[in-house]
Amino acid sequence: MTQPEVPPRELVRISDPQAIRALAHEARLAVLEELFSAQTTRTATELATRCGLTPSAMSYHLRALEKYGFVERAASEGDGRERRWKAAGEDIVVKSFGESPAARYTFLDVQINAFRERIRKEMLRRDAEDASGHGPDEDRAPVLTTGLLFLDEDARQEFTDRMFALIEEFEKRAPQEQRSVDGERMYYMVSMVPDLADQPEKAD
């Protein structure tokens, strides 16, 4: 049986260093995660509630993200009293061409710091849960797991393809009602880096 052709993901490609620097803010990063993952619309008030900001402060950040093409104004819903926003695509590709990598490093720091804070809060929650005697009996998903794999080029490509295919499967599995502003969320961070210890350093 012929498999149906899967349409390519609509990517938002960012190479302007100023646009990359515009992402170096925790609230803006949270907005992008929310809109690109949910693939539905949100108001500034809904996003502000999630980020602990005022609606006016969130509107400022949304306009900045709109300026660089990350988000778009969406069609009004209901009585249309408040503007709605949506992601400008399905995924973001960030790459700075011919520029200092400083903007990308700043963006990376914001991402890592935000995830570090999520891990800290989850560890505190689990400690409190365990101390109260109401911790779950079953094994919980690890807060963080690291390891080392021995992979040649073919195995590395297979592992990467299967890992991202699994992520995409679960991204698409959630029905629209679960993508509401009150829907249950689980954050993840994936990083794969080669061992560079044995590689010679480049001369200046």
Side-chain angles (χ1 to χ4, degrees):
M1 177 181 294
T2 303
Q3 295 293 326
E5 185 175 344
V6 178
R9 294 176 69 87
E10 184 179 352
L11 301 178
V12 176
R13 301 181 184 275
I14 302 297
S15 59
D16 180 357
Q18 290 187 357
I20 298 173
R21 291 189 186 97
L23 298 179
H25 190 288
E26 289 186 16
R28 295 178 186 180
L29 182 62
V31 166
L32 294 184
E33 288 175 334
E34 181 75 14
L35 294 179
F36 276 83
S37 296
Q39 286 296 303
T40 188
T41 65
R42 297 280 191 266
T43 66
T45 299
E46 290 172 336
L47 293 168
T49 299
R50 291 203 57 78
C51 297
L53 299 177
T54 64
S56 60
M58 179 53 66
S59 293
Y60 168 79
H61 290 303
L62 285 165
R63 288 193 297 271
L65 292 171
E66 179 189 32
K67 175 183 176 181
Y68 292 109
F70 294 109
V71 302
E72 299 174 347
R73 299 171 194 240
S76 298
E77 299 177 11
D79 57 17
R81 287 184 296 179
E82 188 172 4
R83 176 180 298 128
R84 302 192 73 83
W85 296 84
K86 66 178 182 177
E90 294 180 282
D91 210 344
I92 298 176
V93 176
V94 178
K95 187 172 184 180
S96 182
F97 296 102
E99 296 286 346
S100 166
R104 281 178 292 162
Y105 292 154
T106 301
F107 176 47
L108 180 63
D109 284 342
V110 172
Q111 288 183 306
I112 292 175
N113 288 337
F115 210 85
R116 181 186 294 116
E117 180 62 13
R118 291 187 184 118
I119 290 175
R120 186 189 71 83
K121 288 180 178 179
E122 174 60 10
M123 290 177 67
L124 290 174
R125 186 191 71 81
R126 292 189 182 192
D127 287 345
E129 199 175 59
D130 293 340
S132 68
H134 298 299
D137 295 330
E138 71 278 5
D139 291 339
R140 293 176 287 198
V143 174
L144 177 69
T145 182
T146 64
L148 169 66
L149 298 173
F150 291 89
L151 304 174
D152 60 20
E153 184 175 351
D154 290 339
R156 183 167 62 247
Q157 187 62 55
E158 179 186 357
F159 181 85
T160 302
D161 290 345
R162 290 172 62 180
M163 177 178 62
F164 282 108
L166 183 63
I167 291 173
E168 185 173 3
E169 175 191 341
F170 278 85
E171 284 179 345
K172 293 180 176 179
R173 178 183 294 186
Q176 199 61 38
E177 58 268 22
Q178 287 185 6
R179 300 171 186 264
S180 70
V181 71
D182 298 321
E184 187 173 349
R185 292 157 171 75
M186 182 73 72
Y187 290 96
Y188 66 87
M189 175 175 280
V190 176
S191 178
M192 291 182 63
V193 292
D195 180 7
L196 301 179
D198 296 328
Q199 296 189 14
E201 295 184 3
K202 294 182 178 180
D204 295 333

